[in-house]
Short mmCIF file of all heavy atoms in Angstrom, two decimals:
data_model
loop_
_atom_site.label_atom_id
_atom_site.label_comp_id
_atom_site.label_asym_id
_atom_site.label_seq_id
_atom_site.Cartn_x
_atom_site.Cartn_y
_atom_site.Cartn_z
N ILE A 1343 128.21 -10.41 199.24
CA ILE A 1343 126.97 -10.55 198.47
C ILE A 1343 127.22 -10.21 197.01
O ILE A 1343 126.71 -10.88 196.10
CB ILE A 1343 125.88 -9.64 199.07
CG1 ILE A 1343 125.48 -10.17 200.46
CG2 ILE A 1343 124.66 -9.58 198.17
CD1 ILE A 1343 124.54 -9.25 201.21
N LEU A 1344 128.00 -9.14 196.77
CA LEU A 1344 128.30 -8.74 195.40
C LEU A 1344 129.04 -9.85 194.66
O LEU A 1344 128.75 -10.14 193.49
CB LEU A 1344 129.15 -7.46 195.41
CG LEU A 1344 129.48 -6.85 194.05
CD1 LEU A 1344 128.20 -6.47 193.31
CD2 LEU A 1344 130.38 -5.64 194.22
N LEU A 1345 129.99 -10.51 195.33
CA LEU A 1345 130.73 -11.61 194.71
C LEU A 1345 129.81 -12.79 194.39
O LEU A 1345 129.91 -13.41 193.32
CB LEU A 1345 131.87 -12.07 195.63
CG LEU A 1345 133.08 -11.13 195.72
CD1 LEU A 1345 134.03 -11.62 196.80
CD2 LEU A 1345 133.80 -11.06 194.38
N MET A 1346 128.91 -13.10 195.32
CA MET A 1346 127.98 -14.20 195.10
C MET A 1346 127.07 -13.92 193.91
O MET A 1346 126.79 -14.81 193.10
CB MET A 1346 127.15 -14.43 196.37
CG MET A 1346 127.96 -14.98 197.55
SD MET A 1346 128.75 -16.57 197.18
CE MET A 1346 127.33 -17.63 196.96
N LEU A 1347 126.60 -12.67 193.80
CA LEU A 1347 125.75 -12.30 192.67
C LEU A 1347 126.52 -12.40 191.36
O LEU A 1347 125.97 -12.82 190.33
CB LEU A 1347 125.21 -10.87 192.87
CG LEU A 1347 124.16 -10.69 193.96
CD1 LEU A 1347 123.83 -9.22 194.14
CD2 LEU A 1347 122.89 -11.48 193.62
N THR A 1348 127.79 -12.01 191.39
CA THR A 1348 128.62 -12.10 190.19
C THR A 1348 128.81 -13.55 189.75
O THR A 1348 128.70 -13.88 188.57
CB THR A 1348 130.00 -11.46 190.45
OG1 THR A 1348 129.82 -10.10 190.86
CG2 THR A 1348 130.86 -11.49 189.19
N VAL A 1349 129.09 -14.43 190.73
CA VAL A 1349 129.24 -15.86 190.44
C VAL A 1349 127.96 -16.43 189.87
O VAL A 1349 127.96 -17.19 188.88
CB VAL A 1349 129.65 -16.63 191.71
CG1 VAL A 1349 129.58 -18.15 191.47
CG2 VAL A 1349 131.05 -16.23 192.14
N LEU A 1350 126.82 -16.04 190.44
CA LEU A 1350 125.52 -16.52 189.97
C LEU A 1350 125.27 -16.06 188.54
O LEU A 1350 124.79 -16.81 187.70
CB LEU A 1350 124.42 -16.01 190.90
CG LEU A 1350 122.98 -16.43 190.55
CD1 LEU A 1350 122.85 -17.94 190.59
CD2 LEU A 1350 121.99 -15.79 191.51
N GLU A 1351 125.61 -14.77 188.29
CA GLU A 1351 125.42 -14.22 186.95
C GLU A 1351 126.28 -14.96 185.92
O GLU A 1351 125.82 -15.28 184.82
CB GLU A 1351 125.78 -12.73 186.97
CG GLU A 1351 125.45 -12.01 185.66
CD GLU A 1351 125.74 -10.53 185.75
OE1 GLU A 1351 126.37 -10.11 186.72
OE2 GLU A 1351 125.33 -9.80 184.83
N LEU A 1352 127.52 -15.26 186.28
CA LEU A 1352 128.40 -16.01 185.37
C LEU A 1352 127.86 -17.41 185.13
O LEU A 1352 127.95 -17.95 184.02
CB LEU A 1352 129.82 -16.07 185.95
CG LEU A 1352 130.61 -14.76 185.94
CD1 LEU A 1352 131.92 -14.93 186.71
CD2 LEU A 1352 130.90 -14.35 184.49
N GLY A 1353 127.31 -17.99 186.21
CA GLY A 1353 126.75 -19.32 186.07
C GLY A 1353 125.58 -19.34 185.09
O GLY A 1353 125.46 -20.25 184.24
N VAL A 1354 124.71 -18.35 185.20
CA VAL A 1354 123.55 -18.27 184.29
C VAL A 1354 124.03 -18.07 182.85
O VAL A 1354 123.51 -18.69 181.91
CB VAL A 1354 122.63 -17.11 184.73
CG1 VAL A 1354 121.55 -16.86 183.67
CG2 VAL A 1354 121.99 -17.42 186.07
N LEU A 1355 125.05 -17.19 182.68
CA LEU A 1355 125.58 -16.93 181.34
C LEU A 1355 126.18 -18.20 180.74
O LEU A 1355 125.96 -18.50 179.55
CB LEU A 1355 126.63 -15.82 181.43
CG LEU A 1355 127.28 -15.40 180.10
CD1 LEU A 1355 126.22 -14.85 179.15
CD2 LEU A 1355 128.36 -14.35 180.35
N LEU A 1356 126.92 -18.96 181.53
CA LEU A 1356 127.53 -20.20 181.06
C LEU A 1356 126.45 -21.21 180.68
O LEU A 1356 126.55 -21.90 179.68
CB LEU A 1356 128.45 -20.78 182.15
CG LEU A 1356 129.19 -22.06 181.79
CD1 LEU A 1356 130.10 -21.83 180.58
CD2 LEU A 1356 130.01 -22.55 182.98
N PHE A 1357 125.39 -21.26 181.48
CA PHE A 1357 124.28 -22.18 181.20
C PHE A 1357 123.63 -21.84 179.86
O PHE A 1357 123.33 -22.73 179.04
CB PHE A 1357 123.26 -22.10 182.33
CG PHE A 1357 121.96 -22.81 182.04
CD1 PHE A 1357 121.88 -24.19 182.14
CD2 PHE A 1357 120.83 -22.10 181.62
CE1 PHE A 1357 120.69 -24.86 181.86
CE2 PHE A 1357 119.65 -22.77 181.34
CZ PHE A 1357 119.58 -24.15 181.46
N LEU A 1358 123.42 -20.55 179.61
CA LEU A 1358 122.78 -20.14 178.36
C LEU A 1358 123.67 -20.46 177.17
O LEU A 1358 123.19 -20.87 176.10
CB LEU A 1358 122.49 -18.63 178.41
CG LEU A 1358 121.40 -18.20 179.41
CD1 LEU A 1358 121.28 -16.68 179.45
CD2 LEU A 1358 120.06 -18.83 179.05
N LEU A 1359 124.98 -20.27 177.32
CA LEU A 1359 125.90 -20.59 176.24
C LEU A 1359 125.91 -22.08 175.93
O LEU A 1359 125.91 -22.52 174.77
CB LEU A 1359 127.32 -20.11 176.59
CG LEU A 1359 127.55 -18.60 176.54
CD1 LEU A 1359 128.94 -18.26 177.09
CD2 LEU A 1359 127.42 -18.10 175.10
N LEU A 1360 125.95 -22.90 176.98
CA LEU A 1360 125.93 -24.35 176.78
C LEU A 1360 124.63 -24.80 176.12
O LEU A 1360 124.61 -25.66 175.25
CB LEU A 1360 126.11 -25.06 178.13
CG LEU A 1360 127.51 -24.97 178.74
CD1 LEU A 1360 127.50 -25.55 180.15
CD2 LEU A 1360 128.51 -25.72 177.87
N ARG A 1361 123.53 -24.16 176.55
CA ARG A 1361 122.23 -24.51 175.98
C ARG A 1361 122.19 -24.19 174.49
O ARG A 1361 121.65 -24.94 173.68
CB ARG A 1361 121.14 -23.74 176.73
CG ARG A 1361 119.73 -24.11 176.30
CD ARG A 1361 118.71 -23.33 177.10
NE ARG A 1361 117.37 -23.66 176.69
CZ ARG A 1361 116.28 -23.06 177.15
NH1 ARG A 1361 116.42 -22.10 178.06
NH2 ARG A 1361 115.08 -23.41 176.72
N LYS A 1362 122.82 -23.05 174.14
CA LYS A 1362 122.86 -22.66 172.73
C LYS A 1362 123.66 -23.66 171.92
O LYS A 1362 123.29 -24.04 170.81
CB LYS A 1362 123.47 -21.25 172.63
CG LYS A 1362 123.55 -20.75 171.19
CD LYS A 1362 124.14 -19.35 171.16
CE LYS A 1362 124.23 -18.85 169.71
NZ LYS A 1362 124.82 -17.49 169.64
N HIS A 1363 124.79 -24.10 172.50
CA HIS A 1363 125.63 -25.08 171.81
C HIS A 1363 124.89 -26.39 171.61
O HIS A 1363 125.02 -27.05 170.57
CB HIS A 1363 126.92 -25.33 172.60
CG HIS A 1363 127.99 -24.30 172.32
ND1 HIS A 1363 127.85 -22.97 172.66
CD2 HIS A 1363 129.21 -24.43 171.69
CE1 HIS A 1363 128.94 -22.32 172.28
NE2 HIS A 1363 129.78 -23.18 171.68
N VAL A 1364 124.15 -26.81 172.61
CA VAL A 1364 123.40 -28.07 172.50
C VAL A 1364 122.37 -27.99 171.40
O VAL A 1364 122.21 -28.89 170.57
CB VAL A 1364 122.73 -28.40 173.85
CG1 VAL A 1364 121.75 -29.56 173.67
CG2 VAL A 1364 123.78 -28.75 174.89
N LYS A 1365 121.65 -26.85 171.33
CA LYS A 1365 120.62 -26.69 170.29
C LYS A 1365 121.23 -26.68 168.88
O LYS A 1365 120.71 -27.26 167.95
CB LYS A 1365 119.86 -25.38 170.52
CG LYS A 1365 118.91 -25.42 171.70
CD LYS A 1365 118.11 -24.12 171.80
CE LYS A 1365 117.08 -24.21 172.92
NZ LYS A 1365 116.28 -22.97 173.03
N VAL A 1366 122.37 -26.03 168.78
CA VAL A 1366 123.04 -25.96 167.49
C VAL A 1366 123.53 -27.36 167.09
O VAL A 1366 123.39 -27.79 165.93
CB VAL A 1366 124.23 -24.99 167.54
CG1 VAL A 1366 125.08 -25.10 166.27
CG2 VAL A 1366 123.72 -23.57 167.71
N ALA A 1367 124.05 -28.12 168.06
CA ALA A 1367 124.54 -29.48 167.76
C ALA A 1367 123.39 -30.38 167.32
O ALA A 1367 123.53 -31.19 166.43
CB ALA A 1367 125.22 -30.06 169.02
N GLN A 1368 122.22 -30.20 167.97
CA GLN A 1368 121.08 -31.03 167.61
C GLN A 1368 120.56 -30.68 166.22
O GLN A 1368 119.98 -31.53 165.54
CB GLN A 1368 119.95 -30.80 168.62
CG GLN A 1368 120.27 -31.40 170.01
CD GLN A 1368 119.20 -31.09 171.03
OE1 GLN A 1368 118.36 -30.21 170.80
NE2 GLN A 1368 119.22 -31.82 172.14
N SER A 1369 120.79 -29.47 165.77
CA SER A 1369 120.34 -29.08 164.41
C SER A 1369 121.28 -29.54 163.32
O SER A 1369 121.01 -29.39 162.14
CB SER A 1369 120.18 -27.56 164.34
OG SER A 1369 121.44 -26.92 164.49
N GLY A 1370 122.46 -30.10 163.73
CA GLY A 1370 123.41 -30.62 162.76
C GLY A 1370 124.37 -29.61 162.24
O GLY A 1370 125.16 -29.89 161.33
N VAL A 1371 124.36 -28.40 162.75
CA VAL A 1371 125.29 -27.36 162.30
C VAL A 1371 126.62 -27.54 163.02
O VAL A 1371 126.65 -27.72 164.25
CB VAL A 1371 124.71 -25.95 162.59
CG1 VAL A 1371 125.71 -24.87 162.18
CG2 VAL A 1371 123.39 -25.77 161.87
N ILE A 1372 127.72 -27.48 162.24
CA ILE A 1372 129.04 -27.66 162.83
C ILE A 1372 129.58 -26.28 163.23
O ILE A 1372 129.68 -25.37 162.40
CB ILE A 1372 130.01 -28.32 161.84
CG1 ILE A 1372 129.49 -29.69 161.46
CG2 ILE A 1372 131.42 -28.41 162.43
CD1 ILE A 1372 130.31 -30.39 160.41
N LEU A 1373 129.89 -26.12 164.49
CA LEU A 1373 130.41 -24.85 165.00
C LEU A 1373 131.90 -24.74 164.73
O LEU A 1373 132.61 -25.74 164.74
CB LEU A 1373 130.18 -24.73 166.51
CG LEU A 1373 128.70 -24.66 166.92
CD1 LEU A 1373 128.62 -24.75 168.43
CD2 LEU A 1373 128.05 -23.38 166.43
#
Side-chain angles (χ1 to χ4, degrees):
I1343 292 172
L1344 184 61
L1345 286 173
M1346 292 301 295
L1347 289 174
T1348 302
V1349 171
L1350 180 61
E1351 188 177 11
L1352 289 173
V1354 171
L1355 181 61
L1356 182 60
F1357 170 78
L1358 292 175
L1359 287 172
L1360 289 173
R1361 185 179 179 185
K1362 180 179 179 181
H1363 276 66
V1364 170
K1365 287 184 176 180
V1366 170
Q1368 290 176 345
S1369 65
V1371 177
I1372 300 176
L1373 294 172

